[in-house]
Structure formats: C-alpha cells, structure tokens
Amino acid sequence: MTKAHVLGFPRIGAQRELKFAQEKFWRGEIDEAALTKTGADLRRTHWAWQREAGLDFVAAGDFAWYDQMLNTAVLLGAIPPRFGFDAQKLTLKQYFELARGNTAQPALEMTKWFDTNYHYLVPELDAETRFDGGVDWFFYEVDEARSQGHNTKPVLIGPLTFLYLAKSKTPGLDTLSLLPRVLPAYRRVLEKLAARGVEWVQIDEPILALELAQPWLNAFAPVYRELSQAGLKLLLATYFESVADHSTLLSTLPVAGVHLDLVRAPAQLDAFTAQWPADKVLSLGVVDGRNIWANDLRGSLDALQAAQARLGDKLWVASSSSLLHSPVDLQNETELDHEFVSWLAFARQKLTEVATLKRGLVAGAQSISQALTASDAVQASRRSSSRIHQQAVKARVNGLQVSDAQRDSAYPVRQQKQQAWLNLPPLPTTTIGSFPQTAEIRAARAAFKRGNLPEQDYRAAMQAEIRLVVGKQEKLGIDVLVHGEPERNDMVEYFGEQLSGFAFTRNGWVQSYGSRCVKPPILFGDVSRPTPMTVEWSQYAQSLTTKPMKGMLTGPVTILQWSFVRNDLPRSDITLQIALAIRDEVVDLEQAGIRVIQIDEPAFREGLPLKKSDWQTYLAWAGQAFRVSASGVEDETQIHTHMCYSEFNDILPAIAALDADVITIETSRSDMELLAGFGEFAYPNEIGPGVYDIHSPRVPPVDEMLRLIRKAAEVVPAERLWVNPDCGLKTRGWPETEAALNTMLEATRRARLELAKNGVLAVDHSPAKVEISHGECGCAH
C-alpha cells in the first residue's frame, strides 16, 4: 500500500527553542529536567504536525541534543576512552562535553555532512573500541512517540555509513575492520525495536551516493542479511545523489524497501523501475528536503504516476532527504510579500506537499485539483516575475575574459612586494575576522533594524565596538588586525542584505551544528552590488591603528552554498554573478587603503559533487569564481582566504590554483593532521593553520598551542607560516577569547625564539606598520 513519509524533521523548533534551552543548560540557568522537557515538547509538536498533515508514519529517533552521528555513537556505546565516561551511564552534561570539550579534553572533531552546511561530530574509533551499548535515549523517544498514538518509523544511521564517516585513532586501522564488532550492536538495537512492536525502521546509508571502494560495497549484502534477521522491515535510505550504479545491488539486498532522492538525481529512477522486485517498496523522494521552493506538484505527480504504472502500491512518496536542512514553518514569515511567500515551502509545508502527492497518486489527480491549479500558478509566477532578471548582470558574466581571473604577477613576486610594506615578523599572527558579539551589540543591531535606534546612534555603537576590538588586539600584540565585524549578523546574510537578488526571512533558521543556527538568505534573482558593503567599517578601523587592517569578505562559493539558491539557473552562472559583486567590493577596499583583504571560502569543498568523477567541472567554475573576486587588485594587496571543517587533501591542486596569498585553515581538532597534506603537496603560498578550537570554551595551555606550531613548522616553511585561531570568534565570550589569544601570542613568541635559536629564522621585533594617506582613509592618525 502506498505510504507518505519524510526521512526526518528539524529538531531546533520554529522559534529555536532547543538552541535557547541548550545554551541555558550550558550556562547553568536551567537543570537537565527543564532541558529534557523542551526536547519532549518539540518532539510532541513535530510528530503531531506529521500526523495532522496526513503522513502514514512519524519519524522517531531523528531528534538529537547536538548531532545524529554523536547520538549513534552513544547509542552503540562507542565513545572515546580519553574522556573517562561510562558509556551506559552517560549524562547529558557528559554528552555535551563530547561535543564541546572540557577542561581536560578537546571536543570530538567536526566536519561537514556530505555536501551540506550541517556539521557532524566525527566518532573516534580504535582497535579497542567496544560497541557494547550505551544510553537508551533512542528507545525512550520511540516509546514516547508510540505512547502518543503515532505509527512510528525509527530512523538510524546505518552501520556502514557510521564506520565510513568515523575516524580511526589507531594508525593503519581501517574502520571497516570493526564491522564484525559493530554489526551485533546494530542487531541488538533492531531486536529491541522489534520487541516494542515497531514494524518499519529507516536505516540511512548515504555513503552509497559516493564512489565507494569495492570492499565497502561488498559489505552491504552480508550486513543486511544479518540485520534482516532482526524481525522487522528495513527501509534503506539513500540521498543527495544518484545510486543508479548500485541498482542491482539494492534490488537484491534483503531489505523491505529502498529510498531514492529524485530531487538531486531524477534520472536514476529508470535504472530501478525497470527491474524492481515486486516484493520491495521503492520510496521516491520528490519533495526537496534541502531547499525552500514550493514543489511543482503537477511535475512531481506526473513522475510518480509513471513510476506507479510499474510499481503499483509498492511506491511510497517522501521527502528527498531529512527536512533537517529546511527552516521549520513558513507561517512565521509575516514580512515577505504574498507573491514571494507563495513561491516557498518550509519543513511543515513540505509535510503537506508529500501527503498531497500521495493523495493524488492514490485517488487520482482530480482529488487534488485545487492544489495542482495553485501550484501551476506559483510556478508561472516565478518564471515570469520581473524581480528575478537583470540583463546587465547577465551581460557582465558573459563578457568575462581569462585575464579577469588572474593576478598581475605570480605569487613569489607578490610576496616580495607585500612583505616590503607589511614588514611582518616571523610567524605573523592574525585572527579569522569576527570577535565576540555581546548582547549589547546584538541588541543595538536589532534595534536599528527595527527602526528603534537612530542611524547616528547605531553608527556610534558600532564604532565604539570597533575601537574596543582594535584596542584589545593592539594590547595583545596581534600583527594583522581585524575590525571585529560587530555590524554583521551572519557572514552570508550580511552580504546578501546588501546585494540585489536576495530575500530574507525572520525565522528561516536551520541548524549548522549544536546550538548554532543560521538563517540562509534566499537567492532568487540576478545578483549585483548597488553600493559598497564593508568599506566604511574597515576604513574607520584602519584609522585607529598603524598596523595593517584586514578587510573581511565572504567569498562567492560560500555565499552560494550557504544560501537557499534559485533552481532556474546553473549554479556556475549564479556564482560568477556573486563573484563580480565581491570583486567590486575588493577593488573599493583597496582604493580606500585596505591592502590586506580576506575572502572567506569555508564552503569551497562543501560544494564538491559527491562523485569524484564530477569534481573537475565544479572545481573549474568554483575556482574561476574565487579568482574573479580576488584578481582586480595590485600585487601589493595581500589576498587571504579561510577554509574550515573539511578534508582538503584531495583537492589541494584546486586550492593552490585559487592563488590566494595566504590561506587560513581549521586544523586544531585534527591535531594538525589536515596540514600534513599541504606539506606533502608542497603548497606554494602562505598558510595559517588554526592552533586552537574556537568552537569549544576550553582555553588550551601554552604548551599545547606551541606543540601545534612546532608540528606546523615541520610541514610548512617557517617563512610562509602564520599563527591564528581556527575560525572566527563571534560565538565566544570576551574572557575566554582574551585568555586564548594571550596564550596564542605567548606560544608564538616562544616559537619565534626557538626558530631563531635553531637558525631557521631571524627574529624581527619591530612592529608592523601601514602607511595610509589622509586622502585614502579620510582620517588623521
């Protein structure tokens, strides 16, 4: 019988209730009982929405206090022994320490979930890891859903995906070798669910969308033969890319059904319907779990009906992936105009889309005729709207030349010119851009946005914060300063608000990691930059110091990746439009006297297609976009970029081809492991590996940072090595920020002395200076 379901639902709440409860718990303002009540209330609401929309199942077990991979690790009992926790008696406080670190131990490593902007915590496994079972929170939530009368479909990350995404802490240990140990643990979990009367379990194996090595593919059949003996029906879920190459494997696995993502890979359907077994369900994800555009119901229904002709009632209707990546509820958006709102669907609205399509499939198109007519009108409105198209923007992209993506001189020439005026000491220090945003700063920004704070008072508040930040950096002794970004709400939203072609929600939040939520802009039309966006603030900050001030921008690929992007134009074209807008800003910063400019691209690797065979096409246009944004300046202007929480080693040639003068990268959580590839590749330009983790409140001791600097100096020639935190400091408080930066500066001082003693460097203690004429910055020094 045809069913309607989703693969998961956002956990944060329509008003970010989970975020605020988590942070109160971390601050000691509420106890564990209050926090768990917030979680229970959110689950109750979300399950009720799924049932009321008309879905046949509610997803259970998709809730996480921090992350679903961490949840899987604590369910299996696979937690790192370095924390000293009892896996079967783990408390919520200890769970959060695994995610955030404590005074004795750094947090688990964190990286991106496939090609999304969601970050998962990387399980640490070694030759001694036991999978003897951990806390029973997963089962409590399943019981909770069933007690509320819901037909429950628990959701689990599959054993092969869990092992593939985990990291071995034993040199030479292949995590696949742990399969004989982890498989019984999964079998026990499934048997416990079967004992509760659960009929269907969704097991997510998204690694099937990758180009897996043969040993991993070979493991699927024996794994699912074992798990199929647990006494319930398994729906193996794949998403984010085509798995057509595995259609034979998936059709023969001993599972009751398979889920496909038809939003990201619609063409794969033919490979399955041509040979699909009559006794297996095929779940088709036709409602986009990752974007916010209203579904083309008629187009989706046509595709489903064609599949139904071959599959009959073994066809299920679903979201393409978990709705985790979508905002929660469009009903909370009251400031967008009616036409624009009609183009959108958030997670709650997607529930209705899934259920509507199932109804049309079962009862015929006439049963949803009103919904189809309304959907047709929405699609026509988007196609014809005058707010989407700017011919001048398209002409500028079409007119780009090869020279527009090249600096005037090669890096060695630029380096000499830059060092001549920068006059930086060995191991120069900087930060990644943002500094702590206090409640007062956020309140002033919000009041100005609401119209409750006069512009003059707003500017005075921002300038006061910039003076504070610049003064603290000078007192600490940092070499290249930043203005701290007090005026910015988010590194993408801030720019989108000042570019044409973007729209913004008030409550369109999605989870990035833990309690960190972002509100992606909606990139709906052609992009241009009407006026300068950052020049005023950077220029003011430079007027306060003789040290070089770094201008801070977000790069074109990251703006694209961290927005909800229009689906009516190739992403390569959209990115070049953004690149040209950023290029204009870079040129204006240089003309204003800002000669160190950072163009952040933390999402550069995130944009990679999941299949390596598709990488080169992406890397070509993404690299071109970055170079277009950065290449409008003179040799003397030093271009930085920043990347974080990704594996870089397999795309190092493409990163080198960006030709940034300096790249700063996150490496502290991996203990500088990520930097090794840069050394082996002989990365040609300057590198600033992060020496401490800003996502944890922990302040590492001097010796720990010094050890990381030493490790970095073994890989990168000291004359091309910078020292910095691994990311921006926006989310940290001032006391820990100043303590950590003090420690970083002391570690750098000791490293400089060590290097000089060993004859590697000659230590120059003279302060860096930057000369700016009054005409360039408009201020006296």
Side-chain angles (χ1 to χ4, degrees):
M1 180 178 179
T2 298
K3 305 284 187 184
H5 69 115
V6 295
L7 273 61
F9 198 81
R11 57 185 72 120
I12 59 174
Q15 303 295 332
R16 291 180 291 162
E17 295 93 332
L18 184 60
K19 166 192 172 66
F20 297 123
Q22 287 169 319
E23 293 174 352
K24 286 180 180 178
F25 178 73
W26 296 339
R27 293 192 298 265
E29 296 172 7
I30 62 172
D31 60 14
E32 185 171 317
L35 176 60
T36 56
K37 182 180 184 304
T38 297
D41 289 344
L42 287 171
R43 292 191 295 271
R44 178 183 292 274
T45 297
H46 300 159
W47 290 331
W49 285 350
Q50 291 173 58
R51 183 167 67 182
E52 291 164 3
L55 301 188
D56 295 286
F57 299 103
V58 303
D62 56 336
F63 180 87
W65 293 111
Y66 203 97
D67 166 60
Q68 65 265 21
M69 280 291 282
L70 179 59
N71 272 27
T72 307
V74 302
L75 171 65
L76 300 174
I79 61 176
R82 63 185 173 90
F83 283 90
F85 299 155
D86 184 333
Q88 296 183 350
K89 297 180 180 178
L90 191 76
T91 65
L92 261 181
K93 179 178 181 296
Q94 292 172 333
Y95 171 94
F96 286 127
E97 288 177 4
L98 294 171
R100 305 175 72 233
N102 57 31
T103 55
Q105 293 293 334
L108 291 170
E109 187 177 340
M110 186 163 63
T111 194
K112 298 290 178 70
W113 179 251
F114 296 87
D115 59 349
T116 75
N117 188 31
Y118 177 80
H119 303 63
Y120 74 91
L121 291 163
V122 182
E124 290 180 15
L125 308 179
D126 58 37
E128 306 303 319
T129 301
R130 302 181 65 85
F131 301 92
D132 295 335
V135 288
D136 286 338
W137 303 342
F138 176 81
F139 302 107
Y140 297 161
E141 292 169 18
V142 172
D143 293 343
E144 189 178 33
R146 290 172 62 80
S147 72
Q148 293 169 23
H150 299 299
N151 187 18
T152 305
K153 172 174 59 69
V155 177
L156 279 169
I157 292 172
L160 289 165
T161 292
F162 177 79
L163 290 175
Y164 190 90
L165 297 182
K167 179 166 286 189
S168 168
K169 290 299 180 179
T170 300
L173 178 70
D174 183 354
T175 56
L176 185 59
S177 68
L178 299 175
L179 186 58
R181 211 179 301 167
V182 80
L183 197 52
Y186 270 86
R187 172 81 179 258
R188 288 193 297 270
V189 170
L190 295 177
E191 288 172 345
K192 287 184 178 181
L193 293 173
R196 285 167 161 77
V198 170
E199 181 184 11
W200 281 92
V201 175
Q202 174 187 316
I203 301 190
D204 288 3
E205 294 284 14
I207 61 166
L208 280 164
L210 308 175
E211 291 171 338
L212 290 175
Q214 198 61 45
W216 288 92
L217 288 173
N218 292 344
F220 272 87
V223 162
Y224 282 90
R225 275 199 301 270
E226 174 70 17
L227 297 185
S228 67
Q229 303 301 312
L232 31 66
K233 297 176 181 177
L234 303 182
L235 178 71
L236 189 150
T238 71
Y239 37 82
F240 299 157
E241 245 299 350
S242 173
V243 291
D245 290 346
H246 308 312
S247 60
T248 300
L249 169 66
L250 291 170
S251 68
T252 57
L253 284 182
V255 295
V258 170
H259 170 84
L260 305 176
D261 181 343
L262 293 193
V263 173
R264 295 293 291 270
Q268 68 179 315
L269 181 58
D270 288 344
F272 287 87
T273 54
Q275 58 176 359
W276 196 246
D279 62 340
K280 280 187 172 61
V281 162
L282 193 61
S283 168
L284 302 183
V286 293
V287 170
D288 196 342
R290 292 181 52 173
N291 213 331
I292 44 69
W293 303 110
N295 188 270
D296 176 0
L297 294 180
R298 193 175 299 277
S300 295
L301 184 60
D302 288 345
L304 289 169
Q305 287 175 328
Q308 186 185 46
R310 300 182 183 182
L311 300 170
D313 64 3
K314 291 297 183 180
L315 172 62
W316 287 12
V317 184
S319 59
S320 61
S321 64
S322 171
L323 302 180
L324 170 70
H325 312 286
S326 295
V328 177
D329 191 0
L330 186 59
Q331 290 185 16
N332 294 319
E333 301 304 326
T334 58
E335 297 180 8
L336 296 171
D337 66 77
H338 176 74
E339 180 190 39
F340 196 86
V341 167
S342 74
W343 297 351
L344 309 178
F346 290 180
R348 189 177 181 186
Q349 288 68 46
K350 291 175 188 293
L351 302 177
T352 300
E353 289 180 338
V354 171
T356 299
L357 287 167
K358 180 221 168 173
R359 191 166 68 251
L361 197 61
V362 172
Q366 70 282 358
S367 68
I368 59 167
S369 59
Q370 288 185 334
L372 292 173
T373 299
S375 175
D376 292 343
V378 165
Q379 303 306 315
S381 170
R382 272 194 69 201
R383 285 192 300 270
S384 61
S385 175
S386 60
R387 67 173 80 186
I388 291 177
H389 305 289
Q390 294 185 54
Q391 293 307 316
V393 172
K394 291 181 170 65
R396 193 177 178 196
V397 169
N398 292 335
L400 281 169
Q401 304 295 315
V402 172
S403 59
D404 292 323
Q406 296 175 344
R407 297 290 295 272
D408 290 341
S409 303
Y411 163 74
V413 175
R414 302 198 307 267
Q415 184 191 35
Q416 291 183 1
K417 292 181 178 180
Q418 292 162 13
Q419 186 58 21
W421 75 267
L422 280 166
N423 193 28
L424 295 171
L427 305 179
T429 55
T430 190
T431 63
I432 305 306
S434 61
F435 268 82
Q437 293 209 347
T438 63
E440 292 77 14
I441 287 298
R442 292 194 300 270
R445 200 169 57 226
F448 175 64
K449 196 169 184 178
R450 291 193 304 267
N452 297 335
L453 183 68
E455 183 174 353
Q456 181 178 354
D457 294 346
Y458 167 73
R459 292 185 181 281
M462 296 302 108
Q463 288 181 350
E465 184 68 12
I466 291 170
R467 287 195 301 274
L468 173 72
V469 169
V470 171
K472 286 182 180 291
Q473 290 174 88
E474 289 203 307
K475 183 177 179 181
L476 286 162
I478 294 173
D479 299 307
V480 175
L481 311 188
V482 297
H483 79 285
E485 306 177 13
E487 78 286 1
R488 303 187 190 182
N489 44 10
D490 174 81
M491 65 181 291
V492 173
E493 184 175 4
Y494 174 79
F495 291 96
E497 286 177 336
Q498 300 178 81
L499 296 169
S500 69
F502 287 83
F504 298 87
T505 63
R506 177 170 289 276
N507 291 291
W509 299 98
V510 293
Q511 185 182 20
S512 179
Y513 63 87
S515 69
R516 171 69 170 154
C517 299
V518 294
K519 189 154 57 69
I522 300 172
L523 203 172
F524 69 90
D526 291 335
V527 178
S528 62
R529 186 201 68 147
T531 59
M533 302 178 287
T534 67
V535 174
E536 172 190 353
W537 305 115
S538 293
Q539 197 173 43
Y540 175 75
Q542 184 66 85
S543 75
L544 303 173
T545 180
T546 58
K547 288 190 171 185
M549 180 61 57
K550 184 166 57 172
M552 300 300 305
L553 304 172
T554 302
V557 175
T558 297
I559 290 177
L560 177 93
Q561 287 294 130
W562 292 359
S563 298
F564 292 121
V565 182
R566 61 192 291 188
N567 53 7
D568 62 337
L569 199 66
R571 292 170 75 87
S572 55
D573 289 357
I574 301 169
T575 311
L576 284 173
Q577 291 184 5
I578 304 169
L580 286 166
I582 298 300
R583 180 188 181 97
D584 292 343
E585 188 72 12
V586 170
V587 170
D588 281 352
L589 281 168
E590 181 187 59
Q591 291 176 351
I594 306 301
R595 306 302 295 271
V596 181
I597 302 170
Q598 181 169 310
I599 307 172
D600 287 342
E601 284 290 21
F604 186 80
R605 194 193 190 286
E606 176 187 311
L608 275 174
L610 296 182
K611 299 188 188 304
K612 287 190 176 182
S613 56
D614 297 328
W615 282 12
Q616 288 309 310
T617 299
Y618 163 78
L619 291 171
W621 62 255
Q624 179 195 12
F626 178 86
R627 292 190 299 275
V628 165
S629 72
S631 296
V633 294
E634 302 294 331
D635 288 347
E636 288 79 3
T637 295
Q638 188 176 74
I639 297 294
H640 291 226
T641 191
H642 172 67
M643 297 182 181
C644 58
Y645 297 103
S646 294
E647 297 287 345
F648 305 116
N649 294 348
D650 48 5
I651 58 165
L652 282 172
I655 292 177
L658 298 180
D659 200 26
D661 298 301
V662 182
I663 181 173
T664 53
I665 57 174
E666 175 274 322
T667 55
S668 62
R669 284 201 178 195
S670 67
D671 198 40
M672 290 289 168
E673 179 182 313
L674 287 173
L675 192 61
F678 282 80
E680 293 170 6
F681 174 71
Y683 185 79
N685 299 10
E686 296 166 53
I687 306 178
V691 298
Y692 77 92
D693 174 22
I694 66 88
H695 292 90
S696 169
R698 175 177 178 266
V699 177
V702 171
D703 288 347
E704 186 174 315
M705 290 198 202
L706 180 58
R707 181 180 63 82
L708 292 179
I709 295 173
R710 288 171 180 152
K711 289 187 71 172
E714 292 172 359
V715 174
V716 179
E719 65 272 15
R720 292 195 277 111
L721 186 63
W722 289 62
V723 179
N724 42 262
D726 66 4
C727 209
L729 300 164
K730 173 182 176 180
T731 61
R732 303 266 56 92
W734 269 114
E736 67 196 65
T737 293
E738 292 187 87
L741 290 176
N742 261 315
T743 302
M744 185 185 86
L745 270 294
E746 175 59 22
T748 304
R749 186 188 68 81
R750 295 187 191 181
R752 287 170 177 165
L753 291 173
E754 286 183 7
L755 291 169
K757 182 179 179 181
N758 295 332
V760 178
L761 291 170
V763 179
D764 179 359
H765 293 288
S766 62
K769 295 183 181 296
V770 55
E771 299 296 335
I772 298 180
S773 72
H774 298 315
E776 288 175 315
C777 76
C779 303
H781 295 287

